[in-house]
Amino acid sequence: MISALLTALSLMILSLASADVNFMQSCETPAQCRCDGHEATEVSCRNLGFTRIPDDIPVNITKLQIRTNTWLSKQNT
């Protein structure tokens, strides 16, 4: 009985690990940004020294974290 439970638990862990790998491969981000959260549509570009929002944001991104960057005001662009 314990052996069967351990086998089932091992299979669940392997399944979750491969799901994370698939997520990381399918997540597209602008340069220097990274995937954020468990959705392939969430990207973090926090604290990267950006002076403007990146141009290469994929259209499927639903959440973009951009705080703590060095933003230029409209007057300086």
Side-chain angles (χ1 to χ4, degrees), residues 39-52:
E39 298 292 327
T41 59
E42 298 179 12
V43 172
S44 172
C45 298
R46 294 183 297 236
N47 201 26
L48 294 173
F50 286 155
T51 56
R52 60 186 183 86

Side-chain angles (χ1 to χ4, degrees), residues 1-14:
M1 176 76 170
I2 292 176
S3 177
L5 287 173
L6 289 175
T7 300
L9 181 60
S10 295
L11 290 174
M12 286 174 45
I13 291 171
L14 287 173

Side-chain angles (χ1 to χ4, degrees), residues 28-33 43 45 50 52-61 64:
E28 295 179 33
T29 65
Q32 299 175 321
C33 300
V43 172
C45 298
F50 286 155
R52 60 186 183 86
I53 296 174
D55 293 326
D56 55 346
I57 299 170
V59 294
N60 67 320
I61 297 302
L64 178 65

